[in-house]
Amino acid sequence: MKYRLFAVACTTMSFVLHGFFHGIGDTKTPMRMSPLTNVAMIFFTYTLTYGKLGFPEIGLTGAGLAVLIGEALGLIGCAYMYFIRLHPMYGTRRFTAVDGAEVRLIAAESGKLGVQELAMSGAMFVFTMFVTRLGTDALAANEIALNVMGLGFMPAFAFGATATILVGQELGREDPFRARRMGTDTAILGDLFLLALGAAEFVWGEEVARLYTSDPEVYHLAGRLIRISAFLQLFDGLLNYYAGGLRGLGDTGFLLRASLLLNWLVFIPLAYLLTFYFEGGSTGAWVSLYTFLALFAMSVLIRFYRTDWGSARVKQAGAVHH
């Protein structure tokens, strides 16, 4: 456990540096650090857990240590890029005095985004509790379907991060209408990708589920959940893209309010009703999930286009900062 806690600390610091890289348009560095981190984790998990290639066999402790080594290597790589390679251009090793206004801005923005994610994580925890009460087959099918749908979620998350970067950069250049265009173009490209992926998942959903299990009850149900999600995941994509655009715009307060309202006043009650009261089972649970995602996606989409882009500016710690 202590190794994992240190690994979390390394991951957190790496995420901060990734945010800087994204802000300057350097997406290659995080991309390169990811395989370094994961390959190291895989290598040391194998060698330290089972005592291979001359390494000691230390079981689960080795697995935890492997995660720490991988995350630490990723952090070292990011720190090298930040403090060494980027110093001539950005002065990254130069000491600057702490600005109280900037600290308050950082705390406020990170706090709102953190609570937003906490609201979603908590709601998904309750959702999983509901599915667990349906039995082991339903739970297994749910996990398989979520795993397969992750094939769409991760690219959607990447397109959302791209929207944040591009919208923020164009606002920084004081070209708000081009910022809006960047958000729109990112959403179109992202949903074209998800549309193609969804078509494949709709056709081969059950075949993919069979790769996880030989239990007919589980893979039939998982296949049905995957087909339900195949095209409805377009809403998950829209949520990521336009929420990313709103983050680039600095409209994090709306994201927080929408997340709290829709997760806890719509998603959880609807999931309970469709799963148990109307006896929809796993299908009802997933219909409630995508109803929530559709409502959230539409709310951020409308917010994005109803923004007064003519007066949109980068959010700053104070009027004196440029």
Side-chain angles (χ1 to χ4, degrees), residues 51-137:
K52 303 295 183 179
L53 302 179
F55 287 84
E57 181 181 350
I58 51 180
L60 291 177
T61 301
L65 182 58
V67 174
L68 173 58
I69 293 172
E71 294 293 353
L73 287 174
L75 176 59
I76 291 169
C78 289
Y80 169 76
M81 291 297 299
Y82 180 81
F83 290 108
I84 306 299
R85 297 292 297 274
L86 295 177
H87 174 68
M89 183 176 297
Y90 297 100
T92 52
R93 296 199 302 272
R94 186 173 64 243
F95 175 79
T96 57
V98 175
D99 186 315
E102 290 181 351
V103 170
R104 288 191 294 273
L105 177 63
I106 292 170
E109 295 304 303
S110 59
K112 285 185 284 187
L113 291 174
V115 174
Q116 175 204 337
E117 294 300 324
L118 182 62
M120 296 190 70
S121 298
M124 284 302 298
F125 175 76
V126 175
F127 171 82
T128 303
M129 288 176 56
F130 289 166
V131 174
T132 301
R133 292 174 60 183
L134 298 174
T136 55
D137 286 348

Side-chain angles (χ1 to χ4, degrees), residues 125-160:
F125 175 76
V126 175
F127 171 82
T128 303
M129 288 176 56
F130 289 166
V131 174
T132 301
R133 292 174 60 183
L134 298 174
T136 55
D137 286 348
L139 180 60
N142 181 72
E143 292 305 308
I144 291 171
L146 285 174
N147 192 272
V148 173
M149 300 319 296
L151 296 173
F153 172 77
M154 294 311 297
F157 178 81
F159 278 107

